[in-house]
């Protein structure tokens, strides 16, 4: 009989023998100080999985979730896997237009939202044909837990193959139309096992979890790492630099985006004494400035481990954890992980010489199968070499040195990464261009000391029209997630163009490069 490849089965098998031990300690919020045992995780996920099962959903149904971070929200993710369905995490900042698109595209059988958003989310969901809408709040409130409380606390995990879909993560495209990256149980399990070994997870490790759980970094990389190692998590619903530093005593591992490290460096309590039990600090989801890398080493004595991944692939490369595997080199994202093949090619599709910049392509067991209901886009994003090997085009530009260390030098699709979040200019430009009086717009990212990149919009008005930048930004805030809203909006007479009429965003970026100092 073939073994059950359900990711939940692998995670559950890694629970420690003593199920009464603490799995998660809540560090903040309405239930600060609460402890969840491994038995609590097992029983809680069983009850939620039984609730989903009681709804009579077909195997592989989508469950869309937009809730604030909580241990119960993590249990819901695990329960969806356990029940054999597909988890669809949605950023808590998304507004009605965005949620409407995701629900319409994914056609989830179940939607779970915050109690405060039930009125508008349920209206969108029911209009799109969703059969069930539940609520889940930070204070352990909402209809989801009320309904699950009546369910048995034992559940046999659904049988899944490695190729069965486990999650869909929406990532914006340059056209402004979001794409749902389909990740299988095998994709996620392979990557988690690789990282467990490569990052040298140790018995007794304690993870500080201060990331959101609606994207790869917090939901998969951090949570899977701790669960697969049977490690306790110190759970922050919201990142607070001073509080996070205070909880490092007794902890050993932390993962964060560069913004988190910048903010902790601003705290005088960040000292070598404060981090003396810590073993590993990992940074990702956005480029790490050399200044941040050096300042962290100087203040703490720890060398940040920078790595590189995508929604479509989870982790691809990483600086070494063990000294025996090599140094952690600033400005690089390390070598490709074991099992991952990475190549750099030129515009003609020819492999680039060592140290030469080109387009990064990858393959491996962690690479997704394609985009949800977008066969043409999927075909466009993969290429096949002369040996018949299939490669995913990352859209990133970089180089590989002789020692296999990878350096990312840019992004070929004008992607902006601000505070660890991916932002595609075309989506914001679409909203701007629809505003009265706007002839055209260009959205760019420029260096920002805190967020890595700050979003800036440059807008041209129709002849005779008068535009109010503050009012336009206010209108955007009501339409899209706040992290996408430009920090500055400039009204200009025209946009720079090349001979083919294409807007030269590189000139705009250079013009506004010093905007944030």
């Amino acid at each position: 009989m073939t073994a059950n490849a359900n990711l939940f089965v692998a995670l559950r098998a890694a629970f420690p023998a003593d199920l009464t031990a603490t799995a998660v300690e809540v560090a903040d919020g309405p239930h600060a100080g609460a402890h969840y045992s491994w038995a609590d995780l097992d029983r809680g996920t069983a009850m939620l999985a039984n609730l989903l099962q009681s709804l009579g959903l077909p195997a592989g149904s989508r469950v869309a979730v937009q809730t604030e971070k909580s241990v119960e929200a993590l249990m819901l993710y695990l329960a969806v896997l356990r029940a054999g369905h597909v988890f669809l995490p949605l950023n808590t900042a998304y507004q009605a237009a965005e949620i409407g698109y995701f629900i319409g595209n994914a056609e989830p059988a179940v939607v779970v939202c915050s109690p405060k958003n039930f009125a508008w989310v349920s209206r969108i969901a029911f209009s799109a044909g969703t059969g069930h809408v539940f609520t889940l709040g930070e204070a352990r409130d909402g209809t989801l837990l009320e309904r699950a409380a009546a369910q048995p606390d034992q559940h046999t995990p659904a049988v899944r193959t490695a190729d069965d879909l486990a999650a869909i993560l929406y990532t914006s495209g340059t056209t402004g139309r979001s794409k749902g990256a389909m990740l299988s149980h095998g994709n996620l399990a392979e990557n988690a096992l690789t990282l467990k070994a490569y990052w040298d997870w140790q018995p007794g490790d304690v993870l500080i979890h201060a990331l959101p759980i609606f994207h790869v970094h917090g939901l998969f990389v951090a949570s899977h790492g701790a669960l697969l190692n049977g490690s306790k998590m110190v759970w922050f619903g919201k990142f607070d630099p001073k509080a996070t530093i205070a909880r490092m005593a007794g902890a050993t591992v932390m993962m964060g985006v560069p913004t988190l490290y910048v903010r902790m460096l601003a705290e005088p309590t960040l000292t070598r004494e404060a981090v003396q039990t810590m073993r590993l600090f990992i940074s990702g989801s956005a480029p790490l400035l050399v200044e941040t890398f050096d300042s962290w080493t100087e203040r703490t004595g720890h060398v940040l481990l920078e790595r590189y991944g995508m929604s479509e692939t989870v982790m691809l490369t990483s600086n070494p954890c063990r000294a025996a595997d090599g140094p952690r080199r600033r400005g690089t994202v390390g070598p490709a992980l074991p099992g991952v093949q990475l190549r750099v090619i030129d515009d003609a599709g020819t492999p680039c010489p060592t140290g030469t910049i080109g387009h990064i392509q990858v393959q491996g067991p962690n690479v997704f199968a394609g985009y949800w209901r977008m066969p043409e886009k999927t075909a466009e994003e993969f290429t096949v070499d002369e040996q018949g090997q299939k490669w995913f085009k990352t859209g990133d530009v970089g180089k590989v040195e002789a020692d296999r260390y990878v350096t990312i030098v840019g992004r070929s699709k004008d992607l902006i990464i601000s505070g660890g979040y991916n932002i595609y200019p075309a989506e914001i430009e679409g909203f701007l261009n629809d505003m009265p009086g706007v002839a055209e717009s260009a959205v760019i990212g420029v260096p920002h000391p805190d967020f890595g990149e700050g979003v800036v919009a440059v807008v041209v008005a129709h002849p005779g029209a008068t535009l109010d930048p503050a009012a336009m930004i206010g209108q955007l805030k009501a339409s899209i997630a706040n992290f996408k809203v430009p920090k500055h909006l400039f009204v200009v007479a025209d946009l720079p163009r090349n001979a083919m009429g294409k807007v030269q965003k590189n000139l705009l970026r250079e013009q506004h490069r010093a905007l944030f100092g």
Side-chain angles (χ1 to χ4, degrees):
M1 182 178 174
T2 305
N4 188 354
N6 189 324
L7 173 61
F8 176 82
V9 173
L11 297 174
R12 176 62 184 85
F15 284 17
D18 180 10
L19 294 179
T20 65
T22 298
V24 187
E25 179 186 348
V26 181
D28 62 358
H31 296 288
H35 287 248
Y36 292 76
S37 68
W38 294 95
D40 291 334
L41 293 190
D42 190 29
R43 288 195 301 267
T45 57
M47 295 165 80
L48 287 163
N50 280 320
L51 171 60
L52 293 173
Q53 198 164 301
S54 74
L55 302 177
L57 310 176
S61 293
R62 275 78 62 204
V63 179
V65 178
Q66 189 196 36
T67 64
E68 297 300 328
K69 183 180 178 181
S70 67
V71 180
E72 286 73 21
L74 177 65
M75 286 190 196
L76 175 58
Y77 161 61
L78 297 173
V80 171
L81 296 178
R82 188 171 187 161
H85 298 307
V86 179
F87 193 72
L88 176 59
L90 296 172
N91 191 318
T92 51
Y94 285 146
Q95 300 297 313
E98 296 154 315
I99 295 297
Y101 170 75
F102 299 131
I103 290 177
N105 184 251
E107 294 185 306
V110 177
V111 171
V112 183
C113 65
S114 299
K116 64 182 179 183
N117 294 335
F118 177 76
W120 66 267
V121 172
S122 63
R123 189 160 52 245
I124 292 170
F126 290 138
S127 296
T130 297
H132 308 275
V133 180
F134 297 103
T135 58
L136 175 61
E138 295 171 275
R140 301 178 185 162
D141 55 337
T143 58
L144 182 77
L145 299 182
E146 290 170 7
R147 288 281 300 275
Q151 296 292 328
D153 64 0
Q154 301 289 316
H155 177 271
T156 301
V159 176
R160 299 276 86 186
T161 71
D163 291 334
D164 281 331
L165 196 53
I168 298 175
L169 269 70
Y170 275 92
T171 174
S172 297
T174 53
T175 61
R177 188 183 177 198
S178 295
K179 310 183 297 291
M182 300 187 292
L183 293 165
S184 70
H185 288 265
N187 291 150
L188 297 175
E190 287 278 358
N191 206 241
L193 288 165
T194 297
L195 292 175
K196 181 178 187 291
Y198 195 75
W199 287 345
D200 201 25
W201 279 86
Q202 300 287 316
D205 267 338
V206 174
L207 173 74
I208 291 181
H209 197 306
L211 291 163
I213 56 170
F214 49 68
H215 64 35
V216 164
H217 198 167
L219 183 63
F220 299 150
V221 184
S223 300
H224 288 173
L227 292 168
L228 201 58
N229 196 55
S231 285
K232 172 184 167 182
M233 287 185 263
V234 178
W235 190 264
F236 283 91
K238 299 279 191 295
F239 174 69
D240 177 275
K242 188 174 291 185
T244 302
I245 294 166
R247 290 308 309 266
M248 286 180 185
T252 61
V253 180
M254 180 178 171
M255 302 181 194
V257 299
T259 301
L260 271 58
Y261 293 108
V262 169
R263 291 182 178 175
M264 286 189 286
L265 281 166
E267 295 292 334
T269 55
L270 182 69
T271 62
R272 296 195 176 209
E273 292 71 32
V275 302
Q276 60 184 344
T277 67
M278 292 296 293
R279 179 177 69 80
L280 182 62
F281 290 100
I282 299 170
S283 179
S285 296
L288 180 69
L289 295 178
V290 168
E291 291 83 354
T292 305
F293 182 98
D294 290 342
S295 296
W296 190 265
T297 303
E298 184 181 339
R299 282 279 290 281
T300 68
H302 285 271
V303 181
L304 286 168
L305 184 155
E306 190 172 11
R307 85 301 179 279
Y308 162 60
M310 302 179 69
S311 296
E312 292 91 340
T313 63
V314 201
M315 290 304 100
L316 290 164
T317 76
S318 173
N319 272 276
C321 176
R322 293 176 289 257
D325 293 335
R328 296 176 201 165
R329 191 170 301 157
R330 70 177 191 173
T332 81
V333 291
L337 286 167
V340 174
Q341 287 77 51
L342 183 149
R343 70 176 188 174
V344 177
I345 62 152
D346 61 21
D347 290 341
T350 305
C352 292
T354 298
T356 303
I357 293 171
H359 303 282
I360 296 174
Q361 298 182 350
V362 295
Q363 61 175 223
N366 52 308
V367 177
F368 77 137
Y371 294 110
W372 175 257
R373 292 178 174 170
M374 287 188 176
E376 298 86 2
K377 189 64 181 172
T378 298
E380 188 182 311
E381 296 300 329
F382 284 88
T383 187
V384 178
D385 63 20
E386 294 176 355
Q387 288 73 44
Q389 295 290 312
K390 191 176 178 183
W391 295 83
F392 172 60
K393 306 172 187 175
T394 66
D396 289 309
V397 178
K399 59 183 179 179
V400 181
E401 302 296 350
D403 57 7
R404 297 178 51 245
Y405 278 67
V406 178
T407 302
I408 310 293
V409 300
R411 298 177 293 280
S412 60
K413 298 178 181 178
D414 286 328
L415 174 69
I416 299 168
I417 300 182
S418 184
Y421 297 135
N422 288 359
I423 301 166
Y424 285 84
E427 182 185 16
I428 306 167
E429 289 163 0
F431 281 94
L432 287 169
N433 294 342
D434 284 340
M435 292 184 186
V438 174
E440 60 179 334
S441 63
V443 172
I444 56 171
V446 299
H448 191 288
D450 193 6
F451 296 103
E453 287 184 297
V455 182
V456 176
V458 185
V459 179
V460 177
H462 280 298
T466 301
L467 300 177
D468 180 348
M472 294 172 72
I473 288 176
Q475 193 172 335
L476 284 174
K477 285 182 176 179
S479 303
I480 59 176
N482 198 52
F483 66 82
K484 300 178 186 176
V485 175
K487 299 186 182 302
H488 287 284
L489 188 151
F490 298 97
V491 179
V492 298
D494 50 41
L495 298 173
R497 298 181 184 276
N498 63 17
M500 300 300 292
K502 184 177 179 181
V503 174
Q504 294 179 293
K505 288 190 173 181
N506 59 318
L507 298 182
L508 290 175
R509 281 191 284 266
E510 191 58 39
Q511 179 184 344
H512 296 288
R513 185 171 186 81
L515 183 61
F516 299 108

